[in-house]
Amino acid sequence: MEDEPRTVTAAAAVSLPEAAGTAEGVEGVSGTGGAGAAAPGAAPKRALGPVALVIAGGLSVQFGAAVAVMLMPRAGALGVVTLRLGLAAIVMLLVCRPALRGHSRADWGTVVAFGVALAAMNGFFYQAVDRIPLGAAVTLEVLGPLALSVIVSRRLVNVLWAGLALGGVVLLSGGGFDRLDPVGAAFALAAGAMWATYIVFSARTGRRFPQADGLALAMAVGALLVLPLGIVESGSKLLVPSTLGLAVVVALMSSVLPYTLELLALRRLPSSTFAVLMSLEPAIAATAGFLLLNQALSATDALAIALVVVASMGAVRTQIGRRARTK
């Protein structure tokens, strides 16, 4: 969350042929063979680079989310979303400079839907972390991509992985979401649903727009949608220099830096491997919450997060095995 918007996310990334296509043609880089395969012993070293980029992106996103939580007393949850999306959109538009002409009505419809999903995902997520610990919020949020993976794959074994994830959620809730704050838990689950929606429209936008142009435009749409809400909630507080300074840090850590790192990684890393690494996000979020926000985990909470991480990885690996057999 991810928090946030990500180029290809969690378990669902390898469940959608359209999303998985982002890394097609680079399998040889990770040592899977082919005419361009590296010499024995060279591939593992070459693969470490993109893996490190993905992990660095995950750390950036989740620690950026922790900084955002620290910013909320100053600007409010919706104010933080407004600043983060607005500043990130400005950076992305300046870097990508997307063309506004030459796109069909269907293209614009797709990018607007992408922007709506982006705004809703961020809005719900920040409402969640304003009420429940960061690790718990990301754990509940990742259920959205996991559910999408199960639905798309239509395989019985993925239903078992979903059951394992559900067991983790039951442990996390302590038998009832009142322990977490039911409203916060509901926001996290809604963010997960929007995350799954984001994945679908991210893939469609990627097919219609070159490079990261579609992402930049969608981010601008999302920023415009949340701007009125942020102004109503926080008003002039959004313009306080110290608040703006922290917001720039959040925008860079949660959007610009991870997008860049993941884009570089996906050029040399199979999307299936990328998705497995993304499954570590709840654990990274829990670590960030502990280190920056003093959100300690009980043994039960740690086990719950571990179950969801294992379930997400299992769903990804199952889909990878299915593809390998059908090739």
Side-chain angles (χ1 to χ4, degrees):
M1 11 70 358
E2 263 90 83
D3 71 322
E4 311 301 281
R6 311 303 286 275
T7 47
V8 186
T9 37
V14 293
S15 298
L16 297 173
E18 55 210 36
T22 54
E24 285 179 5
V26 297
E27 298 285 338
V29 174
S30 60
T32 56
K45 293 181 180 179
R46 293 178 64 186
L48 287 178
V51 168
L53 291 175
V54 175
I55 293 176
L59 289 170
S60 181
V61 164
Q62 300 306 336
F63 277 84
V67 175
V69 174
M70 298 165 63
L71 182 59
M72 284 179 186
R74 301 187 184 192
L78 291 175
V80 171
V81 175
T82 299
L83 289 172
R84 181 214 160 162
L85 285 182
L87 291 170
I90 291 172
V91 173
M92 293 292 290
L93 289 172
L94 288 175
V95 172
C96 298
R97 298 183 181 181
L100 299 180
R101 297 182 179 180
H103 303 298
S104 68
R105 183 176 298 180
D107 292 340
W108 283 112
T110 299
V111 86
V112 168
F114 188 16
V116 171
L118 181 61
M121 178 178 64
N122 279 275
F124 288 144
F125 179 77
Y126 281 115
Q127 290 290 340
V129 297
D130 195 30
R131 293 170 171 82
I132 63 177
L134 180 60
V138 175
T139 301
L140 293 173
E141 186 191 29
V142 82
L143 295 180
L146 179 60
L148 181 60
S149 174
V150 173
I151 292 170
V152 173
S153 69
R154 299 178 182 177
R155 300 195 69 202
L156 179 60
V157 67
N158 272 354
V159 175
L160 298 178
W161 290 123
L164 183 63
L166 182 60
V169 171
V170 171
L171 279 178
L172 191 65
S173 68
F177 281 113
D178 55 321
R179 183 180 75 88
L180 283 177
D181 180 311
V183 176
F187 274 127
L189 292 172
M194 289 298 99
W195 195 356
T197 305
Y198 169 92
I199 291 170
V200 173
F201 283 100
S202 174
R204 293 178 181 178
T205 301
R207 292 199 305 270
R208 291 178 176 272
F209 292 83
Q211 304 299 325
D213 288 9
L215 176 62
L217 292 171
M219 194 168 291
V221 170
L224 290 174
L225 288 174
V226 300
L227 179 60
L229 301 177
I231 292 175
V232 169
E233 181 179 79
S234 304
S236 60
K237 294 179 181 178
L238 300 177
L239 301 178
V240 175
S242 59
T243 299
L244 282 172
L246 279 176
V248 170
V249 173
V250 172
L252 292 176
M253 291 184 66
S254 296
S255 298
V256 179
L257 182 58
Y259 291 154
T260 302
L261 293 175
E262 290 166 8
L263 181 63
L264 293 173
L266 279 167
R267 289 175 178 172
R268 296 182 289 160
L269 193 70
S271 57
S272 55
T273 305
F274 176 85
V276 171
L277 294 171
M278 290 291 291
S279 301
L280 297 173
E281 295 271 328
I284 296 174
T287 302
F290 174 73
L291 293 176
L292 297 186
L293 305 173
N294 296 317
Q295 295 176 345
L297 291 175
S298 67
T300 301
D301 290 339
L303 176 60
I305 291 173
L307 288 177
V308 174
V309 168
V310 170
S312 186
M313 286 185 169
V316 171
R317 297 305 303 177
T318 298
Q319 194 67 13
I320 294 171
R322 178 187 180 188
R323 289 189 173 187
R325 289 192 295 272
T326 56
K327 284 183 178 179

